[in-house]
Amino acid sequence: MNKRTTGRTRRLIVMSTVAGVALGATPSVVASAETTETPVPQNVIVLISDGGGYNQFDAARLYDNGTSYQQVEVAPKSGAATKVPGTPSEVYDDFPVQLAQSHYSAGGRAAYTPEEAWGDFSWVASGATDSAAAGTALGTGVKTTNGTLGFAPDGTRLLTVGEQAMEVGKKVGLVTSVPFNHATPAGFIAHNESRNDYHGLATEMIDSGVDVLIGGGHPNYTDANTARASHFGAGSWISQPDFERVTQGETPFSYVESKADFERVAEGQNVPDKLFGLARVAETFQYNRPGIANNTVLPGTDPANVDVPSLATSTRAALNVLEKDDDGFFLMVESGAVDWAGHANQTTRIVEEQLSFNDSVDAVTDWVEKNSSWDETLVIVTADHETGYLAGPGAGAEKGWTALTGAEGQLPNVSWHSGGHTNALVPLYAKGAGSEALTARATNWDFVRGAYLDNTDLGETIFDVLGHADAEGDAVGVEASVPLPAQAGQLSLALPATDGPVTFAGDAAAQQAELPEVVVNDSRNEAQAQGRGWTLSGSASAFVAGNRWFGAENLSWTPEVVRTAAGAAAGGTATLDKPATLADAGRVERVGETVVAADLALTIPATAESGRYGSEITLTLFAKD
């Protein structure tokens, strides 16, 4: 195993009447105490591929370009992971921040553990979050139970980032390709103990003060984009009173529903101050259209709904409304039916929906570069969870995780392993003002995906960049920032102060001594440690007295862990003519303080002449590679 040292070498000397030994140690590189200064963006845009894990993103890349970007192959028994060489093809593939994200809820697994996630193929397939809990975590920075929106598990009502954005004077927009009051958009503004109370959610969202609401859920249309008798009963998304007031001008919103009307706003024509866009579909823009059973045809084979805007058009329309305010805005865009296709294991439409998502990201980046700048806008591209357990061909309990393959213009080669959500990490990409704060929060490490943060970190980061409203009246506003450290910890080695060399005692044949206690301290976070532990080793130089000498193979040690915070282990008895382990710690056992000592045993060669011999033991602390 390759190792890297964490600093320069130290030595500690040990002496004997017949022989002497010098001991040395390698101290760690001390982490910088500097802190990260986070720029404050004027605009924050979050784009969510609902249900889009790493493989959903790559399925679209393979179809669109014939290349993948983040494919891996992992053997579950050995944990051996191989990363397939990737080719950037999407605009977010070049974003400077590229992390993974965990998303467990307050129930179920309630944790993500890399060893279990990659050690057992079935582990991620149960106990996962739903979109309500994930949306709440993203939209409030707080974990909650599945099915709950905007409330903590104890029932505490949570402040949403949408509410905070409005409080500081920013416009707010929520755009989705599924019903406008579905769980993910609702998680950024609404509060309801049941995600299934769609009429209640619709009322709250309409009255919330947001400036843009766009999605499906039209009572007068089927998912084939054909007119029908109004549907306001069980299974409907909006009540008749709410539908009537938004369509008849009884709310602050300007109302649009035809594709042409969406396109006019997207093109900058007659842009209103507030926009409610209800696409002419019962639920989804395109996913539920006729032909849904055709899961082996090429994307686009089934005729698209004609009078329905694309997600990219809806995004451009929202941006035109939101940019009218000089104070900036918060916008969430969701490709919601990636999740629906994942539940159905529908390969054709998972590609269609992810491509639609990619188009909306392109629309956002184009807007930033033409109408704003990366110095004033933060763009985050991610998912709320993975759906369908999408993997490469042949994947499973025995073979493990295989890579997706495919050619441009063809369906990728995949396998599905669930009809529900999973605990698998999802990707996160970010660019713009404040994006470095996400990197600073990514303190966890997955040995396959690398550094990862939690979905609550995203919510907290958005709150931080939004800031606080100005004080009212005679009040004086104050603000204190607790900075994120540039590095959260260090791996260090300390030797005791000695009044000269350690001396051996014994006779002319054998002598003994004790290695003074040395201290290893590991306060690194998981990302710094990269999920790996450390090794403390030592070796000795030859024993020298003038021109007389004998080799270090005559010196051995028997290590002992005096105390350890997390379970570091002592090395075995070994001679010191070559490096030998004094102590070792893995990912879990490395944390905290470990104190190590050793019994030293010296065998005097029969050929050794009398004298005062000296040697040096060099101790080196390695952070494992």
Side-chain angles (χ1 to χ4, degrees), residues 27 89 213 262 282 334 397 446 584:
S89 59
L213 284 175
F262 276 98
E334 180 202 26
D446 181 82
D584 186 84

Side-chain angles (χ1 to χ4, degrees), residues 94-453:
D94 292 321
F95 279 13
V97 175
Q98 300 191 23
L99 303 165
Q101 178 184 269
S102 60
H103 43 74
Y104 54 89
S105 64
R109 290 285 186 198
Y112 176 79
T113 308
E115 291 87 350
E116 294 184 280
W118 296 105
D120 179 355
F121 191 82
S122 64
W123 188 85
V124 300
S126 62
T129 187
D130 75 339
S131 290
T136 297
L138 292 167
T140 70
V142 178
K143 297 283 189 187
T144 193
T145 51
N146 287 356
T148 303
L149 285 162
F151 288 100
D154 64 2
T156 302
R157 183 184 174 94
L158 300 170
L159 178 69
T160 67
V161 296
E163 291 172 310
Q164 182 68 10
M166 290 186 291
E167 180 68 19
V168 300
K170 296 184 183 295
K171 282 182 172 286
V172 174
L174 303 170
V175 176
T176 181
S177 60
V178 297
F180 72 93
N181 50 348
H182 218 246
T184 301
F188 287 86
I189 196 64
H191 307 78
N192 202 300
E193 294 179 355
S194 173
R195 60 171 291 175
N196 296 320
D197 180 13
Y198 292 111
H199 286 191
L201 288 167
T203 300
E204 182 180 5
M205 293 173 74
I206 292 167
D207 295 334
S208 65
V210 302
D211 300 277
V212 176
L213 284 175
I214 295 176
H218 202 299
N220 297 343
Y221 285 86
T222 70
D223 268 318
N225 186 218
T226 57
R228 66 173 178 183
S230 297
H231 172 53
F232 297 110
S236 63
W237 298 96
I238 188 170
S239 67
Q240 185 172 356
D242 278 340
F243 180 68
E244 290 176 349
R245 67 192 182 106
V246 296
T247 57
Q248 295 175 14
E250 297 175 4
T251 71
F253 294 106
S254 294
Y255 176 79
V256 298
E257 61 175 56
S258 72
K259 180 180 180 181
D261 285 342
F262 276 98
E263 290 177 340
R264 275 190 285 272
V265 179
E267 292 166 1
Q269 301 176 25
N270 300 320
V271 177
D273 291 330
K274 287 179 176 286
L275 177 67
F276 188 98
L278 195 60
R280 288 175 170 172
V281 284
E283 293 184 324
T284 66
F285 282 14
Q286 297 292 344
Y287 172 75
N288 274 344
R289 74 187 191 277
I292 195 170
N294 302 327
N295 62 359
T296 59
V297 301
L298 292 179
T301 298
D302 301 314
N305 289 332
V306 176
D307 191 18
V308 177
S310 67
L311 185 62
T313 295
S314 301
T315 300
R316 286 192 290 269
L319 288 167
N320 283 339
V321 174
L322 298 174
E323 72 174 356
K324 295 180 73 175
D325 193 328
D326 292 337
D327 292 326
F329 60 83
F330 170 79
L331 171 63
M332 190 287 304
V333 178
E334 180 202 26
S335 186
V338 172
D339 175 68
W340 298 41
H343 282 296
N345 294 174
Q346 224 286 10
T347 305
T348 297
R349 298 203 175 179
I350 204 90
V351 172
E352 289 182 352
E353 294 299 324
Q354 187 65 35
L355 289 175
S356 173
F357 176 76
N358 291 343
D359 290 342
S360 68
V361 179
D362 291 343
V364 165
T365 55
D366 287 345
W367 178 86
V368 172
E369 292 171 357
K370 293 176 182 178
N371 299 81
S372 179
S373 73
W374 295 108
D375 291 329
E376 67 177 19
T377 298
L378 170 62
V379 176
I380 301 166
V381 176
T382 189
D384 56 348
H385 53 73
E386 194 274 346
T387 305
Y389 206 163
L390 183 62
E398 292 300 318
K399 196 171 182 180
W401 293 265
T402 62
L404 272 64
T405 59
E408 182 178 348
Q410 300 297 317
L411 284 182
N413 302 307
V414 305
S415 60
W416 296 90
H417 300 273
S418 173
H421 299 174
T422 72
N423 281 295
L425 295 176
V426 297
L428 183 147
Y429 310 88
K431 183 176 181 178
S435 60
E436 58 269 34
L438 295 166
T439 301
R441 290 181 181 272
T443 58
N444 301 301
W445 186 264
D446 181 82
F447 62 87
V448 175
R449 297 301 184 188
Y452 71 95
L453 42 63

Side-chain angles (χ1 to χ4, degrees), residues 17-28:
T17 304
V18 175
V21 179
L23 298 175
T26 300
S28 73

